């Protein structure tokens, strides 16, 4: 299990928000933490510790009044740590190359390949043609419903008909290099991990998966490692001391090593 850091940027600032609270209208989100430092500061910190595979997420969509400021923060972070961070948020075949050329190791995609509540394989193939599968991460962040854990898109505002299970992971594995999966119902709430989802993900022994959501104690990390069969990587956000939380990030690194 590896620790994968995150840099979430909203309205031009590094933030930790409550999962599912983000709204495009009014640029609103319930905030857990707003950093005084910029994105480049955190990128430099992760570089100094040799922590790779983290993700930068642009939480304002293209065309939004804050998008250019958010994008500027992201590009500065990539410049500081070229090849060390992935980038997601509004990625499509037309803009992906800009971020890869700017230093992103991978681009992260959800909404572009999901339309009308389902996977559009024609779009997925177009995305792979644009960036190659070796530099593509598919974000399968999900919410629990009566039908299981369903992928959510458009900044976690729309529920699709695609269930996160071993079958979905197998079908999509040929199109990407990794998966990123936020448990949206517990993201940013520091109430514990989504154990049922972790069990589902831990059964699959395929591409690397980064799990995010709910980690707020060191015991959560141990439980994640156990239930995930030591196959999952982990992102910790609001609970880290870097973002105002109680967990020492150096100790988190040790526990994940």
């Amino acid at each position: 299990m590896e620790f994968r850091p995150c840099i979430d940027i909203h309205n031009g600032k590094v933030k930790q928000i409550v999962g599912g609270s983000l709204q495009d209208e009014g640029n609103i989100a319930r905030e857990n933490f707003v950093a005084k430092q910029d994105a480049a500061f955190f990128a430099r910190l992760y570089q100094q510790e040799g922590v790779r595979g983290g993700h930068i997420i642009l939480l304002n969509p293209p065309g939004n009044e804050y998008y250019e400021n958010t994008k500027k923060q992201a590009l500065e972070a990539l410049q500081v740590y070229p090849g060390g961070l992935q980038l997601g948020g509004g990625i499509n075949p037309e803009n992906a190359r800009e971020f890869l050329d700017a230093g992103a190791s991978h681009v992260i995609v959800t909404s572009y390949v999901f339309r009308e509540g389902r996977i559009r394989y024609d779009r997925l193939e177009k995305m792979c043609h644009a960036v190659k599968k070796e530099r593509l991460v598919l974000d399968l962040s999900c919410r629990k419903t009566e039908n299981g854990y369903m992928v959510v898109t458009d900044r976690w505002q729309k529920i699709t008909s695609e269930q996160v299970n071993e079958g979905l992971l197998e079908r999509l594995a040929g199109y990407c290099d990794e998966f990123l999966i936020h448990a949206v119902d517990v993201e940013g709430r520091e109430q514990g991990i989504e154990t049922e989802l972790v069990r589902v993900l831990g059964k699959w022994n395929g591409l690397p998966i980064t799990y995010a959501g709910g980690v707020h104690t060191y015991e959560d990390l141990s439980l994640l490692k156990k239930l995930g069969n030591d196959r999952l990587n982990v992102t910790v956000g609001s609970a880290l001391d870097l973002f105002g939380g109680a967990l020492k990030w150096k100790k988190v690194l040790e526990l994940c090593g």
Side-chain angles (χ1 to χ4, degrees):
M1 184 168 74
E2 298 178 5
F3 172 70
R4 298 290 185 89
C6 62
I7 304 175
D8 295 341
I9 310 172
H10 181 241
N11 295 355
K13 296 181 179 180
V14 176
K15 297 182 181 180
Q16 290 293 316
I17 67 171
V18 176
S21 71
L22 187 62
Q23 299 179 32
D24 290 343
E25 186 175 351
N27 302 302
I28 298 170
R30 287 174 55 195
E31 300 169 347
N32 282 332
F33 181 84
V34 180
K36 295 180 181 178
Q37 303 92 342
D38 61 10
F41 168 87
F42 292 99
R44 189 172 294 107
L45 183 66
Y46 301 145
Q47 181 192 46
Q48 290 170 351
E49 292 296 330
V51 180
R52 303 180 65 85
H55 51 272
I56 301 171
I57 303 296
L58 287 69
L59 294 176
N60 297 105
N64 180 276
E65 62 183 302
Y66 289 102
Y67 178 75
E68 290 303 323
N69 284 338
T70 292
K71 178 181 174 182
K72 180 175 181 290
Q73 286 274 320
L75 293 175
E76 289 173 354
L78 293 176
Q79 186 176 24
V80 166
Y81 195 5
L85 295 165
Q86 305 168 1
L87 185 136
I91 297 298
N92 58 56
E94 285 70 42
N95 66 11
R97 179 53 56 184
E98 177 185 4
F99 293 107
L100 292 174
D101 291 345
S105 65
H106 299 69
V107 288
I108 305 167
V109 177
T110 308
S111 299
Y112 176 78
V113 301
F114 287 85
R115 281 294 184 274
E116 295 82 43
R118 62 184 178 85
I119 299 170
R120 284 278 301 273
Y121 285 93
D122 58 329
R123 284 177 164 247
L124 185 53
E125 289 173 2
K126 186 176 180 180
M127 195 73 233
C128 286
H129 180 74
V131 305
K132 308 304 181 186
K133 71 180 292 291
E134 291 80 13
R135 303 193 73 178
L136 182 62
V137 175
L138 289 179
D139 184 337
L140 302 182
S141 296
C142 56
R143 285 184 179 277
K144 187 176 183 180
T145 73
E146 60 183 11
N147 296 317
Y149 288 96
M150 312 304 289
V151 175
V152 289
T153 67
D154 298 281
R155 289 159 300 286
W156 305 342
Q157 298 173 43
K158 296 181 181 178
I159 297 177
T160 73
S161 60
E162 301 289 349
Q163 183 181 4
V164 176
N165 53 33
E166 292 181 71
L168 181 66
L169 296 172
E170 286 288 349
R171 290 199 303 275
L172 295 179
Y175 295 94
C176 65
D177 197 45
E178 296 186 12
F179 294 107
L180 171 63
I181 303 179
H182 291 78
V184 175
D185 293 320
V186 297
E187 174 70 17
R189 299 180 187 275
E190 299 185 46
Q191 297 175 351
I193 64 174
E194 190 76 76
T195 55
E196 186 179 343
L197 175 61
V198 169
R199 287 191 178 96
V200 170
L201 300 178
K203 290 178 182 178
W204 190 65
N205 190 18
L207 298 179
I209 297 175
T210 296
Y211 167 89
V215 174
H216 75 301
T217 66
Y218 299 119
E219 289 73 23
D220 283 333
L221 291 171
S222 299
L223 184 61
L224 179 67
K225 194 168 189 175
K226 177 182 177 182
L227 298 182
N229 294 311
D230 201 16
R231 292 173 177 163
L232 306 180
N233 300 319
V234 62
T235 290
V236 184
S238 301
L240 275 189
D241 56 353
L242 294 177
F243 303 117
L247 301 187
K248 304 297 183 183
W249 92 283
K250 292 289 187 68
K251 184 171 182 178
V252 169
L253 280 181
E254 294 174 5
L255 292 174
C256 292

